[in-house]
Amino acid sequence: MQKSRIIRNTFYIQLSTYIISDLTQMIGNIVDGVIIGRCLGVDSMAAFGIVSPIMVVFALIGAIVQTGSRNRFTRLLGEGKTEDAQKIFSLSFLLSAGFGAALMIIILIFSTPIAAALGASGNAAELLPKARAYLIGISIGLPAINAMRILNGFLPIDNDRQLPMISSLALTVSDIIFDLIAAFVLHGDTLEMGIATSISYYVAFAVLLLHFRRKNIILRVSAKALPWKELPGIIVQGLPMGICRISYTVRVAFMNRILASVATASAIAAYSVYQQADDLLRCLTIGMADTVAVIAGILMGEEDRPKMKRLLF
């Protein structure tokens, strides 16, 4: 009975943390959708709706690496191999941030064809400049977005459940403030909105970095002796999450292209509103999956089958 209570309490504590953590990845998108829709008009909202699905892919490598490396990390902790676990974390953090920077450069170079492929074509061709501008603005935050994905997934394991929540609050408040400044002070459009959100992600990322000022933490970042041989296994374990994200983006982009060919910008804007609601609900299921994955990894390392059964129940 005592063991069941421990598993239950741990599950609910971690669940709330991971729901907030996953919500953090979507807050910038949600805030932008609300303010763009209310302040910049239908065309800007439609352009935002065309680009917003790729936000899921923006954190693709972060999601894949986080899922795979976290499973390996927790299992090593359960086996008492703390130093090996720290190397796994270092590899995942540096790889995600580096890939985010590389992807940012690619998007800045090929922003026009990417925006067109996402649906800024056909009847929606006039939305291409606005869609391209938002894509450029939001891509600037890619290194922070991917690095945050890793930190939000690992900090609760290191007994720091408060900082991801504070980071999420900082992201929300700063994004609202910067977006309102972009709309009413700078009189900007989608480019300024994208840049404002990117800045907000860096603010939230800076908050998460405060974790490394604490004493007696498990997480350490070092570029020395990175376990590259673990990378194939990490990618394989995280691949289902990657496929899920790519499939989501392709589905939404396909729907946008259909709307662009048979309807108007207003229809794309309406579909974008639906996607905002869907993002909020997905945080619940993704957060639950993350919680199970983390606790299960530790229990697998300890080879505690009774607690594993209770967790899955």
Side-chain angles (χ1 to χ4, degrees), residues 7 18 35 50 58 113 116 153 155 168 194 219 260 305:
I7 289 293
Y18 278 113
I35 295 181
I50 287 172
F58 277 174
L155 292 192
S168 179
L219 301 179
R305 295 179 66 85

Side-chain angles (χ1 to χ4, degrees), residues 155-173:
L155 292 192
I157 305 173
D158 204 8
N159 295 317
D160 195 347
R161 290 181 287 271
Q162 298 299 321
L163 207 53
M165 297 182 185
I166 296 172
S167 172
S168 179
L169 179 62
L171 173 59
T172 305
V173 173

Side-chain angles (χ1 to χ4, degrees), residues 29-103:
N29 206 29
I30 293 170
V31 170
D32 278 7
V34 172
I35 295 181
I36 289 174
R38 295 187 66 86
C39 301
L40 300 185
V42 173
D43 284 353
S44 294
M45 183 62 183
F48 163 79
I50 287 172
V51 174
S52 61
I54 205 173
M55 287 292 291
V56 177
V57 174
F58 277 174
L60 177 63
I61 192 65
I64 292 175
V65 172
Q66 182 223 55
T67 302
S69 63
R70 190 179 56 192
N71 292 347
R72 182 62 176 149
F73 179 89
T74 53
R75 186 156 188 171
L76 288 170
L77 278 186
E79 295 172 355
K81 299 177 181 178
T82 304
E83 186 175 343
D84 291 337
Q86 290 173 337
K87 291 179 180 179
I88 291 290
F89 169 73
S90 294
L91 175 63
S92 64
F93 180 81
L94 296 174
L95 185 64
S96 295
F99 180 84
L103 185 58

Side-chain angles (χ1 to χ4, degrees), residues 48-238:
F48 163 79
I50 287 172
V51 174
S52 61
I54 205 173
M55 287 292 291
V56 177
V57 174
F58 277 174
L60 177 63
I61 192 65
I64 292 175
V65 172
Q66 182 223 55
T67 302
S69 63
R70 190 179 56 192
N71 292 347
R72 182 62 176 149
F73 179 89
T74 53
R75 186 156 188 171
L76 288 170
L77 278 186
E79 295 172 355
K81 299 177 181 178
T82 304
E83 186 175 343
D84 291 337
Q86 290 173 337
K87 291 179 180 179
I88 291 290
F89 169 73
S90 294
L91 175 63
S92 64
F93 180 81
L94 296 174
L95 185 64
S96 295
F99 180 84
L103 185 58
M104 174 187 68
I105 295 172
I106 292 172
I107 290 175
L108 290 175
I109 295 174
F110 299 103
S111 57
T112 298
I114 291 174
L118 288 171
S121 57
N123 291 345
E126 71 277 5
L127 299 176
L128 181 59
K130 289 179 178 286
R132 176 180 177 271
Y134 185 75
L135 183 60
I136 290 173
I138 200 67
S139 68
I140 295 173
L142 282 178
I145 291 172
N146 277 277
M148 284 177 62
R149 183 77 192 183
I150 300 298
L151 292 179
N152 277 323
F154 278 86
L155 292 192
I157 305 173
D158 204 8
N159 295 317
D160 195 347
R161 290 181 287 271
Q162 298 299 321
L163 207 53
M165 297 182 185
I166 296 172
S167 172
S168 179
L169 179 62
L171 173 59
T172 305
V173 173
S174 61
D175 196 20
I176 291 173
I177 293 174
F178 293 149
D179 276 0
L180 290 176
I181 290 175
F184 294 108
V185 178
L186 302 179
H187 303 291
D189 205 326
T190 52
L191 174 63
E192 289 76 11
M193 287 291 180
I195 293 175
T197 300
S198 290
I199 295 173
S200 300
Y201 276 114
Y202 282 104
V203 170
F205 174 58
V207 172
L208 292 176
L209 290 179
L210 294 176
H211 173 80
F212 298 101
R213 298 180 61 184
R214 297 176 57 182
K215 297 180 179 179
N216 302 320
I217 59 175
I218 298 174
L219 301 179
R220 295 283 190 272
V221 179
S222 174
K224 297 180 180 179
L226 294 177
W228 292 104
K229 63 180 181 180
E230 297 274 7
L231 187 57
I234 289 173
I235 298 298
V236 169
Q237 290 193 48

